[in-house]
Amino acid sequence: MRFGSTLRKTIYPPWKDKYVDYDKLKKLLKESDIDSPIEEEDDQWTADDESAFVDELCNVQLEKVHSFQVETYQKLRDRTSACEAKLDPLAVGLKPEQTEAGDANSSADNGEKKSEVSPVEREMILKGVLKELDNITKEVNELEKYSRINYTAFYKATKKHDRKRGEAYKLRAFLEARLSELPFNKEDYSPLLYRLSAMYSFVRQSLEGKKQEALSFSDSQIGGESFTSHKFWVHPENLLEVKTVILRRLPVLVYNPQTSKIAEGSQRDPTLTSIYFDNPSFSLYTNKVNNEPDAASLRLRWYGQLAEKPDVLFERKVINDGNSSEEQRFPIKDKYVQPFIKDTYKMEKSIQKLQERVGEESNEVEEFQKTVDDIQTFIKDNELQPILRANYTRTAFQIPGDDRVRISMDTNLALIREDALDMDRPCRDPDDWHRRDIDDAQMEYPFDGIRKGEINRFPFALLEIKIKGRKRYEWVDDLMNSHLVKKAPRFSKFVHGVAMLFEDNVNIFPFWRSEVDTDIRQEPQKAFEEEQERKAKAAEDEFAVGSLFGVRASPSFKPAVRSPVGSPAGPTSLRDRTPLRSSIDARSSLSHATKTNGKDKVGEEIDSDEDSTHASWDQSPFAKSTGLRSLLPSFSSSKYARAHQQRQVKLPPGVRDPGVWIKDQGPVRVEAKVWLANQRTFIKWQHVTILLASLSLGLYNAAGQTNGVAKALAVVYTLVALFTLLWGYGIYMYRNSLIHQRSGKDFDNRFGPVVVCLGLIIALCLNFGFKVRIRKMW
């Protein structure tokens, strides 16, 4: 179907005038139509024609679409907030923490306000809000379709220009630059949908008379088997640094096709090949791009070269509502793939072997038979055929036997046409399921033997992080929020390959296409600021949902004082160069607010993980200091020192200081490295003492009988050396006592180093001054 017809069928009538005027663009291009052919003398392309088309496409139409998208999305957010305001008087169930003395009055007021709403009025409000939610949800879906179809229209019009009028000037690069300035295609609608979902749940539970429950679940409710997946692009220049960051935490999972017990550490990362299926109308691709319910994909996958007879897997994946997925897979030999696709082979031999091994009545046999039948029926009903090949090298990171965090890095991604759509010039033999010219020759990346229009080499590496359960890992968050990676939440190799290699056959493109040819590297400061803005917006949405169900007292996000990029410690690692979790109060689950006597008091909670104890950065004196003190806040900026420099918080009524902490009870148990660190510091002080004493002794001996100045300075150096000796011993004994007492005092010292430095500076200045004076006298 021609794109003009697709656009006309997709238009949402109330927004008809806000879409790209595709017919006008075609008219400016002087493109001939069957109904209204253009005369030959009017088909000449001039500079004025070029200017008019570029201005209309990249200025008039793009600004129109961008402005409408931004305004409409903001209106939808405002309407959502209005619905929340209507439901707020009806909300029930407060946090237990809100029953403190400081909240008693406000809670009572809220209860009185809610009791004033009569049942009839309550039902009217709920039904009115439900109707408004339906309208908002419909417009959110239409706005997403609006953005996608207009995004495709810009690319289609640009392609027509470059193909028909682009002899002297190609417009694609200019369009991508303008799209980066007016990015109407980058809005994430998930937070808004989450808020709508929460209100839907509240309204329906209220109308049915059920108790309101927040939209949350625990790992026990999902069996602990739920994985959250995060996808990113990595620039080649940042690839090694990202790998080293991961390797500090997770080992490389070595793959060996011969055995899982013996693997050579020097072997190469395995190459994976996936062959994706679709039909000539690309219905699977279209459903996946449009996020249609139950969008499915089908592929064949194997490791290494096909000539090595690897295990080939048939895999079918269905995306259900809520982004949950259902997968079906079974192994198949390569010689049976074509008969299986043609419906002449139904895996009888594999089923028979399985029955002999586990029994005919086994559930395993039934599941295998069902998987085979479902996939074969899926191929037959959708008239599927091999369309696209994806070949890439995978590096996996995981602790053996521990799948809580799984990371994969795909590099050297090549997307190759595997279709036989053009019968006059097929890429693949129509009677075969794969390209023999690639597999028989055992081609590898960069596949130089493939014709130019049949291959697309993806310029970045693909990073995917899968986290099991709901636990947060600080180092993973640091990596995901750093400038080293770029988020690509809905990226798909299949979708990208079809969009790049079959752009004439499809009428819709994924949003990330315009970013492939751009430089995705970011400045650390810019990445930090974007993260702050994103977290503030997410916290606002979470607060709106939480307050509706009475599970959150206040917004959980507090902006960082500044980016850690400019910290005095200097950027020495990823932790210093990226937006650190410790430099912002992003641990919303650890932040809590208490109210005493009507005044807000912020309580701080220190999170202990596998690294160390972290304190909230924006509550420390180091973050609050300005002027000269910001350069020299203290002689220690360690996490330990910041943790013990927190402000004292007034305890709420009824709570007293226990005097002795639980951690301080029992016998003293100190790790050996603590004692050794104290002794090592003492030895360093004695080393400085010996150096100063040697200097003073040498100076005194070389002074002679008449040089009184040198002798005096030697005495000064001796005094400084003596002070260094006594100070080192004293601070060593002082720290010993702190360790024995489990004291919470700061271990840092500020007096001794300053005295030693000032003493040496004064002595050197006097030495220099006396020498200059003597030379002038001579």
Side-chain angles (χ1 to χ4, degrees):
M1 183 184 297
R2 298 176 65 86
F3 177 75
S5 302
T6 302
L7 178 60
R8 285 189 287 271
K9 292 182 178 180
T10 310
I11 287 178
Y12 182 51
W15 301 343
K16 183 178 180 180
D17 298 335
K18 305 301 181 180
Y19 285 77
V20 172
D21 194 342
Y22 196 69
D23 292 334
K24 183 177 181 180
L25 293 174
K26 289 171 62 177
K27 185 177 180 181
L28 290 174
L29 272 179
K30 300 182 179 180
E31 185 176 84
S32 301
D33 292 330
I34 298 177
D35 300 332
S36 57
I38 296 177
E39 297 296 335
E40 188 172 329
E41 58 272 12
D42 296 334
D43 196 33
Q44 295 183 1
W45 190 253
T46 64
D48 293 338
D49 296 331
E50 178 76 19
S51 177
F53 177 80
V54 172
D55 181 68
E56 182 68 26
L57 177 70
C58 297
N59 292 328
V60 178
Q61 298 296 328
L62 182 56
E63 291 175 1
K64 177 180 72 174
V65 172
H66 174 262
S67 300
F68 179 75
Q69 193 274 338
V70 172
E71 293 173 2
T72 304
Y73 183 70
Q74 186 58 44
K75 290 179 180 178
L76 291 174
R77 287 180 59 88
D78 294 341
R79 290 168 61 186
T80 303
S81 300
C83 290
E84 291 167 345
K86 292 180 181 179
L87 294 178
D88 185 63
L90 311 181
V92 296
L94 296 175
K95 286 182 64 176
E97 291 83 358
Q98 292 176 334
T99 60
E100 297 179 0
D103 258 358
N105 296 333
S106 60
S107 299
D109 294 341
N110 291 339
E112 294 175 1
K113 186 182 295 184
K114 291 171 186 175
S115 63
E116 295 176 358
V117 181
S118 64
V120 177
E121 185 180 358
R122 179 186 182 89
E123 184 176 0
M124 291 180 58
I125 294 175
L126 290 172
K127 290 182 177 180
V129 170
L130 182 61
K131 183 178 180 181
E132 177 67 5
L133 291 178
D134 291 336
N135 295 332
I136 295 175
T137 303
K138 179 182 178 181
E139 292 193 13
V140 169
N141 293 329
E142 294 295 339
L143 184 61
E144 200 273 342
K145 295 178 182 178
Y146 168 88
S147 301
R148 191 176 300 282
I149 196 66
N150 282 287
Y151 176 76
T152 305
F154 283 113
Y155 266 95
K156 288 288 185 178
T158 303
K159 183 181 178 182
K160 284 181 179 291
H161 169 274
D162 292 349
R163 183 173 54 190
K164 186 178 178 65
R165 307 296 184 184
E167 295 85 359
Y169 180 73
K170 300 292 184 182
L171 194 55
R172 172 70 67 86
F174 182 66
L175 174 67
E176 292 175 350
R178 289 289 291 162
L179 283 174
S180 64
E181 297 174 1
L182 303 173
F184 71 90
N185 58 321
K186 294 183 180 180
E187 190 65 62
D188 183 12
Y189 300 95
S190 299
L192 182 58
L193 292 177
Y194 177 63
R195 294 172 63 184
L196 294 173
S197 176
M199 283 189 287
Y200 267 120
S201 178
F202 177 84
V203 170
R204 286 169 179 162
Q205 290 173 8
S206 298
L207 289 175
E208 295 173 2
K210 297 181 179 179
K211 181 181 178 181
Q212 282 74 31
E213 297 179 356
L215 299 178
S216 61
F217 51 87
S218 63
D219 292 341
S220 59
Q221 291 173 311
I222 58 177
E225 297 298 329
S226 176
F227 282 90
T228 304
S229 178
H230 308 272
K231 296 181 179 180
F232 304 90
W233 293 350
V234 182
H235 194 277
E237 292 187 4
N238 296 331
L239 185 59
L240 182 59
E241 187 170 357
V242 172
K243 284 186 176 181
T244 56
V245 169
I246 300 172
L247 284 172
R248 294 191 185 108
R249 299 292 184 147
L250 301 178
V252 175
L253 192 63
V254 181
Y255 170 80
N256 191 328
Q258 279 74 35
T259 173
S260 60
K261 297 180 180 179
I262 302 175
E264 298 179 3
S266 60
Q267 71 181 47
R268 298 168 54 190
D269 290 330
T271 58
L272 274 77
T273 302
S274 299
I275 293 182
Y276 294 93
F277 287 68
D278 210 333
N279 47 43
S281 60
F282 291 92
S283 60
L284 299 188
Y285 165 85
T286 304
N287 292 338
K288 197 171 181 66
V289 174
N290 287 330
N291 298 317
E292 297 291 342
D294 298 331
S297 60
L298 182 68
R299 70 177 180 180
L300 286 163
R301 181 169 64 89
W302 67 87
Y303 284 85
Q305 295 290 344
L306 195 61
E308 300 172 356
K309 303 297 181 182
D311 295 332
V312 181
L313 290 177
F314 239 126
E315 298 179 338
R316 176 174 178 256
K317 185 175 182 179
V318 180
I319 305 298
N320 301 321
D321 293 337
N323 289 329
S324 61
S325 62
E326 176 185 352
E327 294 186 5
Q328 293 177 307
R329 63 166 63 96
F330 66 88
I332 186 174
K333 293 184 178 181
D334 59 325
K335 62 180 180 181
Y336 295 133
V337 173
Q338 186 65 18
F340 182 85
I341 295 174
K342 295 298 183 182
D343 200 16
T344 59
Y345 178 67
K346 299 183 179 295
M347 303 296 294
E348 292 90 349
K349 293 184 179 180
S350 298
I351 294 175
Q352 183 179 357
K353 291 181 180 179
L354 187 60
Q355 290 175 344
E356 293 174 354
R357 188 172 73 250
V358 300
E360 295 183 3
E361 303 299 330
S362 174
N363 292 333
E364 187 176 350
V365 176
E366 295 179 3
E367 292 178 1
F368 184 84
Q369 181 70 62
K370 182 179 183 300
T371 300
V372 171
D373 294 341
D374 289 346
I375 292 180
Q376 198 160 45
T377 303
F378 182 67
I379 294 175
K380 184 178 180 180
D381 293 346
N382 293 277
E383 300 179 355
L384 301 180
Q385 59 177 285
I387 289 291
L388 179 73
R389 174 187 296 242
N391 182 275
Y392 49 93
T393 301
R394 169 160 292 182
T395 306
F397 303 88
Q398 180 184 335
I399 298 176
D402 185 355
D403 62 348
R404 290 177 299 173
V405 179
R406 296 157 49 191
I407 299 179
S408 63
M409 179 81 73
D410 296 339
T411 55
N412 297 337
L413 173 59
L415 303 164
I416 305 171
R417 292 185 60 159
E418 198 88 8
D419 64 288
L421 300 179
D422 187 357
M423 299 305 296
D424 296 330
R425 194 182 178 185
C427 299
R428 165 184 55 83
D429 185 355
D431 297 326
D432 206 346
W433 63 276
H434 66 107
R435 292 184 60 160
R436 295 281 179 180
D437 59 332
I438 296 178
D439 295 323
D440 291 348
Q442 298 188 21
M443 288 188 187
E444 295 183 346
Y445 189 87
F447 297 96
D448 294 328
I450 304 299
R451 292 187 291 267
K452 184 178 180 180
E454 297 178 2
I455 185 172
N456 177 265
R457 298 174 182 86
F458 192 69
F460 311 121
L462 300 176
L463 176 68
E464 183 173 10
I465 302 175
K466 290 185 178 180
I467 302 175
K468 188 176 183 179
R470 299 175 62 80
K471 183 178 179 181
R472 302 288 295 273
Y473 298 88
E474 184 181 1
W475 72 272
V476 175
D477 291 340
D478 285 348
L479 177 60
M480 292 193 300
N481 295 322
S482 72
H483 67 286
L484 300 175
V485 298
K486 177 178 176 58
K487 290 180 173 60
R490 292 163 61 181
F491 181 81
S492 165
K493 300 181 183 73
F494 167 59
V495 170
H496 184 74
V498 172
M500 300 301 294
L501 297 174
F502 298 91
E503 59 181 358
D504 291 335
N505 301 79
V506 296
N507 289 326
I508 194 166
F509 294 137
F511 283 154
W512 65 74
R513 177 174 171 170
S514 62
E515 301 178 4
V516 175
D517 297 327
T518 62
D519 188 355
I520 64 172
R521 291 172 295 182
Q522 302 181 66
E523 291 293 333
Q525 178 67 26
K526 181 179 179 182
F528 172 78
E529 293 172 353
E530 290 178 353
E531 182 204 6
Q532 292 289 292
E533 181 179 357
R534 182 171 60 254
K535 289 183 180 299
K537 189 174 181 181
E540 178 185 350
D541 293 335
E542 290 177 5
F543 172 61
V545 174
S547 61
L548 184 64
F549 288 94
V551 296
R552 188 180 297 275
S554 62
S556 61
F557 174 77
K558 292 184 290 183
V561 176
R562 60 177 176 178
S563 169
V565 176
S567 64
T572 59
S573 64
L574 171 69
R575 191 175 292 274
D576 294 316
R577 298 171 57 191
T578 57
L580 300 185
R581 303 286 294 178
S582 58
S583 67
I584 59 174
D585 195 81
R587 299 188 193 89
S588 59
S589 61
L590 300 179
S591 304
H592 64 280
T594 59
K595 297 182 179 180
T596 305
N597 299 327
K599 297 181 180 180
D600 293 342
K601 296 290 183 181
V602 178
E604 297 171 0
E605 192 168 322
I606 300 175
D607 174 29
S608 298
D609 60 4
E610 64 271 23
D611 289 338
S612 56
T613 302
H614 302 279
S616 178
W617 175 274
D618 59 344
Q619 296 293 329
S620 68
F622 183 74
K624 300 291 184 181
S625 59
T626 57
L628 182 61
R629 183 171 175 80
S630 66
L631 298 177
L632 295 172
S634 69
F635 285 93
S636 174
S637 60
S638 64
K639 296 175 183 176
Y640 178 84
R642 294 201 304 268
H644 291 279
Q645 291 172 356
Q646 305 297 313
R647 294 176 298 177
Q648 295 295 326
V649 179
K650 184 178 179 181
L651 296 176
V655 179
R656 63 182 180 82
D657 189 348
V660 179
W661 291 50
I662 295 178
K663 70 179 183 66
D664 294 338
Q665 299 177 1
V668 178
R669 294 175 182 175
V670 182
E671 295 185 21
K673 64 181 182 181
V674 178
W675 299 105
L676 295 176
N678 192 24
Q679 293 175 5
R680 185 168 57 249
T681 306
F682 173 67
I683 294 172
K684 287 291 185 181
W685 276 107
Q686 305 315 303
H687 180 65
V688 174
T689 301
I690 293 173
L691 289 178
L692 293 176
S694 301
L695 175 62
S696 62
L697 182 61
L699 184 60
Y700 188 86
N701 292 333
Q705 296 294 330
T706 59
N707 195 346
V709 174
K711 290 183 178 181
L713 291 176
V715 173
V716 173
Y717 286 131
T718 302
L719 294 176
V720 175
L722 182 61
F723 172 82
T724 305
L725 174 64
L726 297 176
W727 175 265
Y729 179 76
I731 201 68
Y732 169 72
M733 297 303 296
Y734 172 71
R735 287 172 176 167
N736 262 348
S737 65
L738 292 182
I739 293 173
H740 278 290
Q741 298 170 8
R742 289 199 187 98
S743 175
K745 295 181 180 179
D746 199 341
F747 276 57
D748 294 347
N749 67 80
R750 300 171 179 172
F751 180 73
V754 172
V755 172
V756 173
C757 292
L758 289 178
L760 292 177
I761 292 173
I762 293 172
L764 291 174
C765 291
L766 290 175
N767 190 5
F768 179 77
F770 288 142
K771 286 293 183 182
V772 171
R773 183 180 178 184
I774 292 173
R775 287 184 178 274
K776 289 183 177 179
M777 292 175 62
W778 282 93

